[in-house]
């Protein structure tokens, strides 16, 4: 059932023993929203615990100590999760069918929770949380404001992507006034690269190929690239932006060989008028219009061919 910001806030206030979850391989919005909500609920005196996958090196600045002992939750909340599958196999099996409240901003949200607060016009789950807290008159601490800023800044590519609205900018400005050191966070998150990532990026760029008169760029990331660079999988997100950066490219695809060798994770970015969400949806995935994803099985060659065919089908309609 869809609910609004105020109803979500009232639900949270009425519950205790709350478990917070987000998607696997968390990005800045996943971590910013789960940690912000954790700090808010702690402030309210709730018993609360959050479970996250490994925190990427680029997001260390957002990490907070929150290792609470496990408890049997009365209320399960997901943030920034468009579909229960994104929780990862283990958490999905344990909690996927009993999520009470889902707070999200994906237009493709699959309505898997009992109550859903989703605002597809929000740039980030953190913007949805900001609206909910501001509407409730919550007193933002600098730490809570910082987490929300991280989510909004990362999901907008530091306020560069088309999902950035005037309202998003105002939310960020408000958060600055609550004491966020935005220059520090921006440098840590958007500028600083580990040596491992630098080596990985070099190999990935060497593997980049273009197709269909340069309208599609595809980068096939092999397990060997992780091994040779020493990069942990949780730190590879920034690579996804590279293929679309090339002039004339409408669809930028990053195909990553999964750790268990069983298939591929695909990240896709597009430029108007091409919808990455439409291409990925035709392959069983989903996401935002210009940034989406899916998973594929088979050999490398099959995965690449499937992706190129799916991209071509959509490009031929609109370009
Ligand atoms: Mn998000």
């Amino acid at each position: 059932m869809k609910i609004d910001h105020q109803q979500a806030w009232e639900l949270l206030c009425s519950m205790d023993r709350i478990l917070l979850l987000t998607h696997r391989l968390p990005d800045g919005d996943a971590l910013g929203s789960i940690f912000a909500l954790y700090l808010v609920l702690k402030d309210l005196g709730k018993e609360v615990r959050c479970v996250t996958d490994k925190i990427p090196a680029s997001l260390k600045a957002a990490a907070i100590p929150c290792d609470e002992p496990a408890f049997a939750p009365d209320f399960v909340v997901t943030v920034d999760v468009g579909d229960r599958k994104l929780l990862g196999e283990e958490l999905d099996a344990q909690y996927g069918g009993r999520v009470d409240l889902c707070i999200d901003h994906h237009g493709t949200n699959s309505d898997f929770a009992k109550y859903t607060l989703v605002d597809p016009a929000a740039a980030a789950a953190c913007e949805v949380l900001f609206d909910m807290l501001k509407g409730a008159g919550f007193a933002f601490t600098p730490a809570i404001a910082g987490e929300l800023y991280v989510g909004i800044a990362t999901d907008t590519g530091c306020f560069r992507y088309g999902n950035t609205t005037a309202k998003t900018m105002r939310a960020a400005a408000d958060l600055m006034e609550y004491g966020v050191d935005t220059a520090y966070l921006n440098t840590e998150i958007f500028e600083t690269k580990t040596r491992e990532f630098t080596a990985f990026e070099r190999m990935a760029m060497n593997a980049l190929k273009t197709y269909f008169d340069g309208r599609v760029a595809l980068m096939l990331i092999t397990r060997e690239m992780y091994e040779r660079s020493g990069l942990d999988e949780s730190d590879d997100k920034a690579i996804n932006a590279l293929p679309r950066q090339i002039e004339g490219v409408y669809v930028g695809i990053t195909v990553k060989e999964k750790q268990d060798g069983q298939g591929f994770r695909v990240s896709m970015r597009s430029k108007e008028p091409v919808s990455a969400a439409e291409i990925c949806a035709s392959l069983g995935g989903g996401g935002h219009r210009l940034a989406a994803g899916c998973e594929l099985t088979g050999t490398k060659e099959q995965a690449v061919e499937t992706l190129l065919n799916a991209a071509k089908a959509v490009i031929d309609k609109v370009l």
Side-chain angles (χ1 to χ4, degrees):
M1 186 171 89
K2 292 269 167 30
I3 58 170
D4 64 20
H5 295 79
Q6 193 189 334
Q7 289 169 314
W9 175 246
E10 282 165 9
L11 259 178
L12 286 166
C13 288
S14 70
M15 295 296 165
D16 207 357
R17 298 171 79 80
I18 302 169
L19 177 67
L20 306 178
L21 305 173
T22 190
H23 57 81
R24 66 183 288 270
L25 300 172
D27 57 11
D29 191 30
L31 294 173
S33 53
I34 199 170
F35 292 149
L37 192 54
Y38 172 86
L39 293 171
V40 166
L41 295 170
K42 275 277 167 193
D43 265 14
L44 296 177
K46 307 284 184 190
E47 198 175 344
V48 52
R49 191 164 83 90
C50 47
V51 175
T52 68
D53 219 345
K54 191 167 177 227
I55 297 175
S58 62
L59 292 166
K60 272 188 303 205
I64 55 164
C66 60
D67 42 341
E68 310 275 323
F71 58 70
D74 293 334
F75 198 67
V76 179
V77 182
T78 63
V79 285
D80 198 36
V81 178
D83 186 83
R84 55 180 279 185
K85 276 190 305 198
L86 301 172
L87 291 167
E89 258 170 54
E90 202 178 312
L91 287 176
D92 183 20
Q94 205 173 354
Y95 298 109
R98 55 160 297 198
V99 176
D100 297 291
L101 173 62
C102 162
I103 300 178
D104 188 31
H105 69 118
H106 295 90
T108 54
N109 187 288
S110 64
D111 213 4
F112 60 92
K114 193 167 168 197
Y115 300 103
T116 301
L117 168 60
V118 60
D119 178 6
C126 279
E127 189 177 335
V128 181
L129 279 180
F130 172 83
D131 291 340
M132 180 187 79
L133 295 167
K134 195 168 183 198
F138 185 81
F140 291 86
T141 64
I144 292 168
E147 297 295 342
L148 294 175
Y149 178 82
V150 166
I152 292 173
T154 51
D155 262 18
T156 57
C158 212
F159 308 95
R160 288 178 299 132
Y161 301 154
N163 60 352
T164 313
T165 64
K167 183 176 147 290
T168 311
M169 294 280 204
R170 282 190 199 101
D174 275 7
L175 293 169
M176 249 179 125
E177 287 182 336
Y178 294 126
V180 181
D181 187 344
T182 56
Y184 163 75
L185 288 174
N186 291 343
T187 304
E188 285 295 303
I189 295 169
F190 298 106
E191 295 267 330
T192 310
K193 290 179 198 178
T194 62
R195 288 172 210 186
E196 290 83 0
F197 184 83
T198 310
F200 179 76
E201 186 179 34
R202 191 176 288 140
M203 289 182 242
M205 286 308 280
N206 275 333
L208 186 132
K209 288 190 181 134
T210 60
Y211 302 86
F212 311 129
D213 293 326
R215 286 185 276 190
V216 174
L218 185 145
M219 222 158 55
L220 179 66
I221 307 290
T222 61
R223 293 316 305 176
E224 196 204 350
M225 294 183 193
Y226 291 98
E227 280 150 29
R228 278 173 49 208
S229 64
L231 187 79
D232 190 273
E233 196 166 2
S234 63
D235 294 329
D236 70 5
K237 280 252 160 61
I239 213 79
N240 301 346
L242 301 181
R244 190 185 58 181
Q245 287 174 351
I246 304 162
E247 184 181 23
V249 168
Y250 284 89
V251 183
I253 308 172
T254 312
V255 191
K256 295 168 182 166
E257 199 176 5
K258 284 205 222 167
Q259 203 154 17
D260 55 11
Q262 300 297 306
F264 304 87
R265 287 186 290 120
V266 177
S267 158
M268 193 178 293
R269 307 279 175 97
S270 65
K271 276 183 208 145
E272 291 292 355
V274 181
S275 165
E278 189 184 346
I279 301 169
C280 288
S282 76
L283 301 170
H288 302 287
R289 183 170 166 80
L290 303 181
C294 63
E295 301 219 345
L296 293 173
T297 51
T299 65
K300 285 174 198 163
E301 293 74 19
Q302 285 166 338
V304 170
E305 196 188 332
T306 302
L307 284 160
L308 292 177
N309 287 339
K312 186 156 193 315
V314 172
I315 283 178
D316 283 348
K317 275 197 301 181
V318 296
L319 283 184

